[in-house]
Amino acid sequence: MYRRTPFYEKVKERMMRYARVDTQSDPNSARTPTTEKQFDLARMLFQELLRIGASDVWLDETACVVYGKIPSTMPDGGGRPFGLVTHMDTAPDAPGANVKPWVLESYDGGDIVLNAEKEIVMSPKEFPNLFNYVGQDLILTDGTTLLGGDDKAGIAAVMTMAEHLLAHPEIPHGPVSIAFTPDEEVGGLAKDLDFERFGAKIAYTLDGDHLGFYMDE
């Protein structure tokens, strides 16, 4: 039985808000970041980290990387640092502007009409992995653009986790480093990451696939 977690509304709100920001990267650009518009989300996330009380919040105005930290709550302020990395850009394969996210509640396993006017339908016959989400709520687009869940869903999860940990210092944990980076879709996930500023030698990239799936490298 699918149950909404206490974080459901905050993650949903963040995901839909981030999705509306056009951050499409450009594989043919030689600049860093490959598109200036990625700074629109970077500045939004920078302000949000400040608002929730993260420490060492910084936006690299050259590389378009946003940094923040969640301080240790261990008695001695110690603990092994680990990092979380997500990317702000969306793929250049489909339009990323004017995204219109909406929520389909309690998906029933049938065809999903994304856009009746343009007759855009997403069917489990073509995308059988939809059956994995029967009974769950799905955030979708109108079918004319990418949603950008890759990787704005990851950003929404990290930001919501950070907000919760910062609001509950009674939860024991070591230092957590956060980085939101540009241009992953064109090969630049951590290309310009300042490892000294990031402050963690081990990090997890939250970027796609199903619950319980991971890769290491």
Side-chain angles (χ1 to χ4, degrees):
M1 178 67 181
Y2 170 70
R3 294 188 301 169
R4 294 177 177 174
T5 75
F7 306 103
Y8 172 87
E9 291 296 339
K10 287 189 175 182
V11 173
K12 180 179 74 173
E13 184 277 328
R14 283 189 165 106
M15 171 62 215
M16 296 178 75
R17 175 159 49 89
Y18 302 155
R20 293 186 182 98
V21 183
D22 181 8
T23 57
Q24 190 178 51
S25 50
D26 181 359
N28 299 311
S29 171
R31 58 168 294 164
T32 300
T34 59
T35 54
E36 183 71 18
K37 58 191 174 183
Q38 293 181 70
F39 274 108
D40 294 340
L41 182 57
R43 294 190 175 100
M44 180 187 297
L45 298 175
F46 171 78
Q47 292 297 331
E48 199 163 346
L49 284 173
L50 290 174
R51 189 165 61 250
I52 65 176
S55 65
D56 300 305
V57 180
W58 191 66
L59 169 59
D60 186 331
E61 291 283 357
T62 300
C64 192
V65 179
V66 182
Y67 298 85
K69 292 182 181 177
I70 306 171
S72 171
T73 59
M74 303 296 281
D76 59 356
R80 189 178 189 183
F82 80 95
L84 296 169
V85 181
T86 55
H87 67 88
M88 298 178 287
D89 67 313
T90 59
D93 307 280
N98 301 312
V99 177
K100 300 177 179 66
W102 61 283
V103 178
L104 173 63
E105 296 187 347
S106 301
Y107 172 55
D108 63 7
D111 289 354
I112 301 172
V113 179
L114 298 176
N115 192 313
E117 180 183 355
K118 296 182 181 295
E119 299 182 342
I120 301 174
V121 177
M122 187 164 60
S123 172
K125 293 178 182 178
E126 186 176 359
F127 303 102
N129 63 328
L130 281 170
F131 288 124
N132 296 326
Y133 305 101
V134 172
Q136 299 188 30
D137 296 354
L138 306 180
I139 300 178
L140 304 161
T141 71
D142 67 354
T144 64
T145 70
L146 286 176
L147 175 64
D150 176 5
D151 190 23
K152 291 170 183 175
I155 298 173
V158 169
M159 190 69 79
T160 303
M161 178 218 67
E163 181 181 44
H164 182 72
L165 290 181
L166 288 162
H168 293 277
E170 73 278 7
I171 299 175
H173 62 80
V176 182
S177 298
I178 294 170
F180 303 123
T181 68
D183 291 332
E184 186 273 347
E185 297 291 352
V186 292
L189 173 67
K191 179 172 66 70
D192 296 308
L193 192 68
D194 183 333
F195 288 100
E196 184 175 350
R197 181 178 293 277
F198 185 59
K201 294 182 178 180
I202 296 174
Y204 299 87
T205 301
L206 275 69
D207 185 16
D209 229 290
H210 53 277
L211 289 173
F213 175 89
Y214 74 95
M215 297 171 62
D216 64 273
E217 57 182 68

